[in-house]
Amino acid sequence: MENRARVLIDCEDAKGLVYKISKVFYDRGLNIDNNREFVDKEYGRFFMRTVVTGLFDSDELLQEVKSVVPQDAHIRVIEPKDKKIVILATKESHALGDILIRYADGELGAEIECVIANHDTLKGLVERFDIPFFHIPAEDLSREEHEEKVMNCIDKHEFDYMVLAKYMRILTPTFVKAYELKIINIHHSFLPAFIGANPYKQAFERGVKIIGATAHFVTDDLDEGPIIAQDVIPVNHRLSWKDMQRAGRDGEKIVLSRALSLVLHDRIFVNGNKTVIF
Amino acid sequence: MENRARVLIDCEDAKGLVYKISKVFYDRGLNIDNNREFVDKEYGRFFMRTVVTGLFDSDELLQEVKSVVPQDAHIRVIEPKDKKIVILATKESHALGDILIRYADGELGAEIECVIANHDTLKGLVERFDIPFFHIPAEDLSREEHEEKVMNCIDKHEFDYMVLAKYMRILTPTFVKAYELKIINIHHSFLPAFIGANPYKQAFERGVKIIGATAHFVTDDLDEGPIIAQDVIPVNHRLSWKDMQRAGRDGEKIVLSRALSLVLHDRIFVNGNKTVIF
Amino acid sequence: MENRARVLIDCEDAKGLVYKISKVFYDRGLNIDNNREFVDKEYGRFFMRTVVTGLFDSDELLQEVKSVVPQDAHIRVIEPKDKKIVILATKESHALGDILIRYADGELGAEIECVIANHDTLKGLVERFDIPFFHIPAEDLSREEHEEKVMNCIDKHEFDYMVLAKYMRILTPTFVKAYELKIINIHHSFLPAFIGANPYKQAFERGVKIIGATAHFVTDDLDEGPIIAQDVIPVNHRLSWKDMQRAGRDGEKIVLSRALSLVLHDRIFVNGNKTVIF
Amino acid sequence: MENRARVLIDCEDAKGLVYKISKVFYDRGLNIDNNREFVDKEYGRFFMRTVVTGLFDSDELLQEVKSVVPQDAHIRVIEPKDKKIVILATKESHALGDILIRYADGELGAEIECVIANHDTLKGLVERFDIPFFHIPAEDLSREEHEEKVMNCIDKHEFDYMVLAKYMRILTPTFVKAYELKIINIHHSFLPAFIGANPYKQAFERGVKIIGATAHFVTDDLDEGPIIAQDVIPVNHRLSWKDMQRAGRDGEKIVLSRALSLVLHDRIFVNGNKTVIF
């Protein structure tokens, strides 16, 4: 029976890698459905994503590829299927809502295990879609105490990625570390401009003519992780910062959904603090 | 008690209109919260939209403005409040879903009276939001017979605008006439390119590097009515037409929602087959 | 004989300003060719730009407008005619070249009095257009000494605006002060991201997916003056920082030329550290 | 001595092509500097562009690649060096000027053999850059007679590509045939919208909110050839068609220059009536 897999290889660059890897596929009689490579010359790093079809066992294929590439290689052979996600939110519905509509439509490419929020504003919306909603208030709790409660809740679920759909709380390094390169955030500015709180107010005060949104992996440094996707929206002097916030929502939700789609289709390599996207 | 209204004036251009109209507001002691004008020199037409606050009766204000502008003037004094809409759809959820999320959020600025569709695919989604859904199948019916059923259903509701959220059926002139300048459609191309059926397939076959979406008022001629909003998305040779269709959905929903917001906030004048938007 | 002028008014907001000002124009029998207003509610400031035609003396008109607006008003009555500019450059030709082509075409709307550069790379190009080129090298000079030479050269010319067409030197507060709100700079990033030296390298290292350009008035704080125009260009992991620099040039030249056109057509008000653009 | 070449292969798709071709490079000890492939599944066509460095003879390399790919393959082994172009223009300077500035800067990547125009408006500009300018007026000539004169002039020059930098004349099939896939045109609309004369006027009359520009190869059918690059510019009701024309110029010149750069760097495959661009 025909099999299908995404093969992702990330290793030190070396001569003949394309040849050696494609030989593995050729010798096994596999079809290449799609193939993209990139060499980061600054760091001497090779990236390749190939979609193969044919008769193969994923583990065997992985071992065979491993035998022809440098030792440091990070190789993944992934069969396409829905991944699992958990979503953290606060009060705003637009980014979450965009994901929910795609989910209801079967377009998302992921199961939503649950939505966790520090307010109960979104409970009604989430439950309309028959998804478990957990309200974990942060009042009277230290950041650590609150996160512990959130982690307890999350860890009852199996998941591949955690999506911060306008989760308006800062995460501790401990929390981030626990889910390394699994957390995707949407920041409401074109990073690195307007890091931190209320970027629309900052943008308004600076008098910019363009506002933006940035989806990125979350790392220790707030708003400093590898960028996945960005987009911008033109603005002018007529917009108050509340108007900018309103106008910016469309950008936020589209950028987050686009980034999520890239993640769920295994199209991203993290390369230091950057991303390689095929 | 303070009142607030949007005053929209559309008339033959003449000397001193800004002076004469602003005098009416000034003499009554009204505050101007926002004011925009435009003169279409080709057609010699004057457009003005002013938001006024103060003590006034809307009808009296309208009569007073009327007394200082040319006879052909079309004047509206509109108190800001939620309008009512009906939505027609077929099977696709993205444009409808975007409106539903804004509605659930209280951001839409309109009551949704009902959703009518020629398939029942979207019934579940709509009912999640406690909105009446009417399935009016078109099978075995002539276009006229189907439209009659739709009109019967629609006419049981009071509404200001009818939104075609990817309603994939052509409307007869009779239907369009019955709801003149009340119907807003989203067409999945940057009109006037790719009029008619399956614009993504047409775009794919033409090999364009940009696809788009267009929201417009519906008039007799298919895809020929006054354009309200347009946006585009870059594409490349890697995308099949199905990929373009998928990529295009985000543009469609954002453009439709943006157009709907302009309509609901009384920001649009129709000027021949064009729009003036403040 | 018919006269034509741009009337720009910038003052404290007050009731009836549109009425009072349009009354001045109406009483004199002037035609309003174009009219735009804006009220900055945060600062309570009123801005209006009107193009009037008819029989009038500019000084008299200014006095009459002055008599109906708040005392702090800044009023300009400007007859449309070519302004004069001086250009400062270093080695790169794209931003300068774009201005030169528009100039040769008669499209610029300004006389170029001279080009001054701290290198002689661009001498050939500038002289092709019969424009005086002054090479003022900075080697072995303190910043102050070099600027003094530049100022001596500039001050031999009458000019309305000074354009920094990729002038790669930091200006002292003394220099900036001497030409307050007359200096227009193009910065090669979407400010406030990547302030300072080599923004493309910074952008590359941060792994952004969008680069940009910003035209702004120069004030004391480097890259902090009021923004006039911005634009962005999508990038991806394939671009080195040199590639980004190359790709960014088109954005830089277009944004600078667009900003220059706005300035030359008196379409800009400076409002604190922001701009109001009609 | 190290050599460097762009290898472009375009052939019927078949199993193992990446493997077989990369084997040729590997066996010869060549380095792959950059590699991109694409399979057009609709037409079963394979495209590959590889930049190789090392010790090789171009003809031998071509023959070796030829021996491993399907018979219908179109293979090019191109050493990077400046190509030669001729430019046809009429009266407008912006598209031509943008090319001239890049040329003067050494950034163009091509020698400009000559500029030919049916008016003499641009003579001064072209000669500033020490490039031969030929004025071939079309008055009192049939289309065929005029083209014959142009061809006589062109054919005295060796060139790789002919650039129509706003050449406002329709070409006959005979002319187009003589320079198949060598002619690059800039059309001042986002094709296929507004084919034919005065697209800005058409755009104005249709009331679009976006205008565009399209660079394409010229084929028999006017404005129907394979599209290389497109871009758009937002517009609104305030712009007359002359304003749109003015605003559109920046888009036109940038799109043409971008297309020209792709052509000159051998980054384009023509695939039926489409392009594959790496």
Side-chain angles (χ1 to χ4, degrees):
Chain A
M1 214 199 56
E2 274 251 319
N3 207 346
R4 182 181 186 89
R6 301 165 187 157
V7 183
L8 283 85
I9 304 160
D10 161 6
C11 64
E12 199 184 322
D13 193 23
K15 218 171 185 164
L17 284 175
V18 173
Y19 159 66
K20 287 173 185 165
I21 296 164
S22 59
K23 184 172 190 307
V24 169
F25 300 146
Y26 184 72
D27 287 350
R28 284 201 159 246
L30 305 186
N31 284 303
I32 292 179
D33 201 63
N34 199 304
N35 187 42
R36 299 181 81 167
E37 318 109 36
F38 171 67
V39 176
D40 179 330
K41 283 175 195 154
E42 204 190 5
Y43 295 110
R45 213 137 182 95
F46 174 87
F47 301 88
M48 184 166 174
R49 181 187 186 274
T50 311
V51 179
V52 294
T53 61
L55 293 168
F56 63 90
D57 171 85
S58 289
D59 284 341
E60 281 177 34
L61 186 62
L62 192 151
Q63 291 309 323
E64 244 173 291
V65 171
K66 197 171 182 165
S67 72
V68 302
V69 296
Q71 286 224 321
D72 77 324
H74 178 219
I75 307 168
R76 289 172 282 169
V77 178
I78 307 166
E79 285 163 62
K81 64 169 184 200
D82 275 8
K83 295 190 165 44
K84 290 174 178 179
I85 64 172
V86 296
I87 302 177
L88 269 61
T90 292
K91 285 178 173 179
E92 289 175 276
S93 71
H94 57 284
L96 174 62
D98 202 61
I99 296 172
L100 292 176
I101 293 290
R102 289 172 204 263
Y103 171 71
D105 195 55
E107 188 210 338
L108 183 64
E111 282 301 311
I112 303 176
E113 294 301 302
C114 67
V115 175
I116 298 168
N118 51 323
H119 288 268
D120 63 359
T121 322
L122 299 166
K123 183 177 162 65
L125 180 66
V126 172
E127 291 183 350
R128 283 182 198 280
F129 291 86
D130 306 319
I131 294 165
F133 178 89
F134 301 104
H135 175 208
I136 305 180
E139 278 84 48
D140 306 322
L141 298 181
S142 71
R143 190 170 303 284
E144 287 71 20
E145 286 165 345
H146 183 251
E147 279 188 357
E148 205 188 308
K149 290 191 167 207
V150 171
M151 290 176 79
N152 281 341
C153 180
I154 289 176
D155 292 345
K156 289 193 187 103
H157 301 85
E158 242 183 281
F159 65 92
D160 299 282
Y161 292 101
M162 184 191 310
V163 181
L164 308 185
K166 301 282 298 184
Y167 183 60
M168 306 304 281
R169 292 181 59 81
I170 293 169
L171 302 171
T172 66
T174 313
F175 188 95
V176 172
K177 198 105 197 164
Y179 309 102
E180 218 184 339
L181 293 183
K182 290 189 152 192
I183 313 177
I184 297 150
N185 184 42
I186 179 70
H187 184 79
H188 35 316
S189 83
F190 49 90
L191 289 175
F194 309 128
I195 283 174
N198 212 335
Y200 291 118
K201 197 135 187 263
Q202 293 182 56
F204 171 77
E205 276 158 13
R206 181 61 188 89
V208 295
K209 302 301 185 186
I210 285 174
I211 57 173
T214 305
H216 62 99
F217 287 109
V218 177
T219 56
D220 264 29
D221 293 309
L222 182 65
D223 306 333
E224 298 280 358
I227 292 172
I228 304 170
Q230 297 189 289
D231 211 343
V232 295
I233 291 176
V235 292
N236 60 47
H237 61 265
R238 292 197 171 273
L239 283 81
S240 68
W241 79 261
K242 290 268 183 192
D243 294 332
M244 289 189 185
Q245 190 179 46
R246 211 168 295 123
R249 277 183 203 144
D250 283 345
E252 293 170 21
K253 76 185 182 195
I254 297 300
V255 168
L256 178 59
S257 287
R258 207 192 304 153
L260 185 54
S261 171
L262 292 168
V263 165
L264 294 173
H265 289 86
D266 305 303
R267 295 188 165 280
I268 306 183
F269 291 89
V270 172
N271 179 24
N273 200 41
K274 301 184 200 179
T275 56
V276 170
I277 296 179
F278 290 133
Chain B
M1 212 197 59
E2 274 252 319
N3 206 345
R4 183 181 184 90
R6 301 163 186 158
V7 183
L8 283 87
I9 305 161
D10 162 4
C11 63
E12 200 184 321
D13 192 23
K15 218 172 185 165
L17 283 175
V18 172
Y19 160 66
K20 287 173 187 167
I21 297 163
S22 60
K23 184 172 190 309
V24 169
F25 301 148
Y26 183 72
D27 287 348
R28 283 199 160 251
L30 305 186
N31 285 301
I32 292 180
D33 202 60
N34 199 304
N35 187 43
R36 298 181 82 167
E37 316 109 36
F38 171 65
V39 175
D40 180 329
K41 282 175 196 155
E42 204 190 6
Y43 295 110
R45 220 146 171 88
F46 174 87
F47 301 89
M48 184 167 175
R49 182 188 186 274
T50 311
V51 179
V52 294
T53 60
L55 293 168
F56 63 89
D57 171 85
S58 289
D59 285 339
E60 280 175 32
L61 186 62
L62 193 151
Q63 290 310 323
E64 244 173 294
V65 170
K66 197 170 183 168
S67 70
V68 302
V69 296
Q71 286 223 321
D72 77 322
H74 179 217
I75 307 167
R76 289 172 283 169
V77 178
I78 307 166
E79 284 163 63
K81 64 169 183 203
D82 276 9
K83 295 192 167 42
K84 291 177 178 178
I85 63 172
V86 296
I87 303 178
L88 270 61
T90 292
K91 285 177 173 179
E92 288 175 277
S93 71
H94 57 284
L96 174 63
D98 202 62
I99 295 172
L100 293 176
I101 294 291
R102 288 174 204 263
Y103 170 72
D105 194 56
E107 188 209 338
L108 183 63
E111 283 301 311
I112 303 177
E113 294 302 303
C114 67
V115 176
I116 299 168
N118 52 322
H119 288 268
D120 64 359
T121 321
L122 299 167
K123 184 177 161 64
L125 179 65
V126 172
E127 290 182 351
R128 283 182 198 280
F129 290 87
D130 306 318
I131 294 166
F133 178 88
F134 301 104
H135 175 209
I136 305 181
E139 279 85 46
D140 305 323
L141 297 180
S142 71
R143 190 170 301 284
E144 286 72 20
E145 286 165 345
H146 183 251
E147 279 189 357
E148 206 188 307
K149 289 191 168 205
V150 172
M151 288 175 80
N152 281 341
C153 181
I154 288 177
D155 292 345
K156 289 195 186 101
H157 301 86
E158 241 184 284
F159 65 93
D160 298 283
Y161 292 101
M162 184 191 309
V163 181
L164 309 185
K166 301 283 295 183
Y167 182 60
M168 305 304 279
R169 294 179 59 80
I170 293 170
L171 301 171
T172 66
T174 313
F175 188 96
V176 172
K177 196 104 196 165
Y179 310 102
E180 220 184 338
L181 293 182
K182 289 189 151 190
I183 313 178
I184 297 150
N185 184 43
I186 179 72
H187 184 78
H188 35 316
S189 82
F190 50 89
L191 289 175
F194 310 128
I195 283 174
N198 212 335
Y200 290 119
K201 198 137 187 261
Q202 292 183 55
F204 172 76
E205 275 158 14
R206 181 60 189 90
V208 294
K209 302 300 184 188
I210 285 174
I211 56 172
T214 305
H216 62 99
F217 287 108
V218 177
T219 54
D220 265 29
D221 294 308
L222 183 65
D223 305 335
E224 298 281 358
I227 292 172
I228 303 171
Q230 298 190 289
D231 212 344
V232 295
I233 291 176
V235 293
N236 61 47
H237 61 266
R238 291 196 173 272
L239 284 81
S240 68
W241 77 260
K242 291 267 182 194
D243 294 333
M244 289 188 186
Q245 191 179 46
R246 211 168 294 123
R249 276 182 203 145
D250 283 345
E252 293 171 21
K253 76 185 182 198
I254 297 301
V255 168
L256 179 60
S257 286
R258 207 192 305 154
L260 186 54
S261 171
L262 292 169
V263 164
L264 294 173
H265 289 86
D266 305 302
R267 295 187 165 281
I268 307 182
F269 291 89
V270 172
N271 178 24
N273 200 42
K274 302 184 199 178
T275 56
V276 169
I277 296 179
F278 289 134
Chain C
M1 214 198 59
E2 275 252 319
N3 207 345
R4 182 179 185 92
R6 300 164 187 157
V7 183
L8 283 86
I9 304 160
D10 162 4
C11 63
E12 198 186 322
D13 191 24
K15 217 170 187 167
L17 283 174
V18 173
Y19 159 66
K20 287 174 187 166
I21 296 163
S22 59
K23 184 173 191 308
V24 169
F25 301 147
Y26 184 72
D27 288 348
R28 283 200 159 248
L30 305 185
N31 285 302
I32 291 180
D33 203 60
N34 200 302
N35 187 43
R36 298 180 83 167
E37 317 109 36
F38 171 66
V39 176
D40 180 328
K41 283 177 195 152
E42 204 189 6
Y43 295 110
R45 213 133 183 97
F46 173 87
F47 301 89
M48 184 167 174
R49 181 188 187 273
T50 312
V51 179
V52 294
T53 60
L55 294 168
F56 63 89
D57 173 84
S58 289
D59 285 340
E60 281 176 32
L61 186 62
L62 193 151
Q63 291 310 322
E64 245 173 293
V65 170
K66 197 170 183 169
S67 70
V68 302
V69 296
Q71 285 223 323
D72 76 324
H74 179 218
I75 307 167
R76 289 171 283 169
V77 178
I78 307 166
E79 285 163 60
K81 63 170 184 200
D82 275 10
K83 296 194 164 41
K84 291 176 178 177
I85 64 173
V86 296
I87 302 177
L88 269 62
T90 292
K91 285 177 173 181
E92 289 174 277
S93 71
H94 56 284
L96 173 63
D98 201 63
I99 296 171
L100 292 176
I101 293 291
R102 288 173 204 262
Y103 171 71
D105 194 56
E107 188 209 337
L108 183 64
E111 282 303 310
I112 303 176
E113 294 301 302
C114 68
V115 176
I116 299 168
N118 52 323
H119 289 267
D120 65 358
T121 321
L122 298 166
K123 183 177 161 65
L125 179 66
V126 172
E127 291 184 348
R128 284 182 197 280
F129 291 85
D130 305 319
I131 294 165
F133 178 89
F134 301 104
H135 175 208
I136 305 180
E139 278 84 47
D140 305 324
L141 297 180
S142 71
R143 190 170 303 282
E144 286 71 20
E145 286 166 344
H146 183 250
E147 279 189 357
E148 204 188 308
K149 289 190 168 209
V150 172
M151 288 176 82
N152 281 341
C153 181
I154 288 177
D155 292 345
K156 289 195 186 100
H157 300 86
E158 241 183 284
F159 65 92
D160 298 283
Y161 292 101
M162 184 191 310
V163 181
L164 309 186
K166 302 281 298 184
Y167 183 60
M168 306 304 280
R169 293 179 58 80
I170 292 169
L171 302 171
T172 66
T174 313
F175 188 95
V176 171
K177 196 105 199 167
Y179 310 101
E180 218 184 339
L181 293 183
K182 289 189 153 192
I183 313 177
I184 297 150
N185 183 42
I186 179 72
H187 184 78
H188 35 318
S189 83
F190 50 90
L191 287 174
F194 309 128
I195 283 174
N198 212 336
Y200 290 119
K201 197 136 188 266
Q202 292 183 55
F204 171 77
E205 276 158 13
R206 181 61 188 90
V208 294
K209 303 299 184 188
I210 285 174
I211 56 173
T214 304
H216 61 99
F217 287 108
V218 177
T219 55
D220 265 28
D221 293 309
L222 182 65
D223 306 334
E224 298 281 358
I227 292 172
I228 303 170
Q230 298 190 288
D231 212 345
V232 295
I233 290 176
V235 293
N236 60 48
H237 61 265
R238 293 197 170 273
L239 284 80
S240 68
W241 77 261
K242 291 267 183 195
D243 294 334
M244 288 189 186
Q245 190 179 46
R246 212 169 292 122
R249 276 181 203 145
D250 283 345
E252 293 170 21
K253 75 185 181 196
I254 297 301
V255 168
L256 179 58
S257 287
R258 207 192 303 153
L260 186 53
S261 171
L262 291 169
V263 164
L264 295 172
H265 290 86
D266 304 304
R267 294 188 166 280
I268 306 182
F269 291 88
V270 172
N271 179 25
N273 201 40
K274 303 185 199 178
T275 56
V276 170
I277 297 179
F278 290 133
Chain D
M1 211 198 59
E2 274 251 318
N3 206 346
R4 181 182 186 90
R6 300 164 188 159
V7 183
L8 283 86
I9 305 160
D10 161 8
C11 64
E12 199 185 320
D13 192 24
K15 218 170 184 165
L17 283 175
V18 172
Y19 160 64
K20 288 173 185 166
I21 297 163
S22 60
K23 184 173 191 307
V24 169
F25 301 147
Y26 184 71
D27 287 350
R28 283 200 160 248
L30 305 186
N31 286 302
I32 292 180
D33 201 60
N34 199 303
N35 187 43
R36 298 180 82 167
E37 318 109 36
F38 171 67
V39 176
D40 179 331
K41 282 174 195 155
E42 203 189 7
Y43 295 110
R45 216 138 179 94
F46 173 87
F47 301 88
M48 184 166 174
R49 181 186 186 274
T50 312
V51 179
V52 296
T53 60
L55 293 167
F56 62 90
D57 172 84
S58 289
D59 285 340
E60 281 176 32
L61 185 62
L62 192 151
Q63 290 309 321
E64 244 173 292
V65 170
K66 197 170 183 166
S67 71
V68 303
V69 296
Q71 285 222 322
D72 76 324
H74 179 219
I75 308 167
R76 290 171 282 170
V77 178
I78 308 166
E79 285 164 60
K81 64 169 183 199
D82 275 8
K83 295 191 166 42
K84 290 174 178 180
I85 64 172
V86 296
I87 302 177
L88 269 61
T90 293
K91 285 178 172 178
E92 289 174 276
S93 71
H94 58 282
L96 173 63
D98 201 62
I99 296 172
L100 292 175
I101 293 291
R102 289 173 204 264
Y103 171 72
D105 194 55
E107 186 209 340
L108 184 63
E111 282 302 310
I112 302 175
E113 293 302 302
C114 68
V115 175
I116 298 168
N118 52 323
H119 288 267
D120 64 359
T121 321
L122 300 166
K123 185 178 161 65
L125 179 66
V126 172
E127 291 183 351
R128 284 182 196 279
F129 290 86
D130 304 319
I131 294 165
F133 178 89
F134 302 104
H135 175 209
I136 306 180
E139 278 85 47
D140 305 323
L141 297 181
S142 71
R143 190 169 303 283
E144 287 71 19
E145 287 166 345
H146 182 251
E147 278 188 357
E148 206 189 306
K149 289 190 166 204
V150 171
M151 288 176 79
N152 281 341
C153 180
I154 288 177
D155 292 344
K156 289 195 186 101
H157 301 86
E158 244 184 281
F159 66 92
D160 299 282
Y161 291 101
M162 184 191 309
V163 181
L164 308 186
K166 301 283 298 184
Y167 183 59
M168 305 304 281
R169 292 180 59 80
I170 292 169
L171 302 171
T172 67
T174 313
F175 188 96
V176 172
K177 196 104 197 166
Y179 309 101
E180 219 183 338
L181 293 183
K182 289 189 153 192
I183 314 178
I184 297 149
N185 184 43
I186 179 71
H187 183 78
H188 34 316
S189 82
F190 50 89
L191 287 176
F194 310 128
I195 284 173
N198 211 336
Y200 290 119
K201 198 138 186 261
Q202 292 183 57
F204 171 76
E205 276 159 13
R206 181 61 189 90
V208 295
K209 302 299 184 187
I210 285 175
I211 56 173
T214 305
H216 62 99
F217 287 109
V218 177
T219 55
D220 265 30
D221 294 307
L222 181 66
D223 305 334
E224 299 281 358
I227 292 172
I228 304 170
Q230 298 189 289
D231 212 344
V232 294
I233 291 176
V235 292
N236 60 47
H237 62 265
R238 292 197 172 273
L239 284 82
S240 68
W241 78 261
K242 290 268 182 193
D243 294 333
M244 289 189 185
Q245 190 179 47
R246 211 168 294 122
R249 277 182 203 143
D250 283 345
E252 293 171 21
K253 76 186 183 197
I254 297 301
V255 168
L256 179 59
S257 287
R258 207 193 304 153
L260 186 54
S261 171
L262 292 169
V263 165
L264 294 173
H265 290 87
D266 304 303
R267 295 187 166 279
I268 305 182
F269 291 89
V270 173
N271 178 25
N273 200 43
K274 301 184 199 179
T275 56
V276 170
I277 296 179
F278 290 135

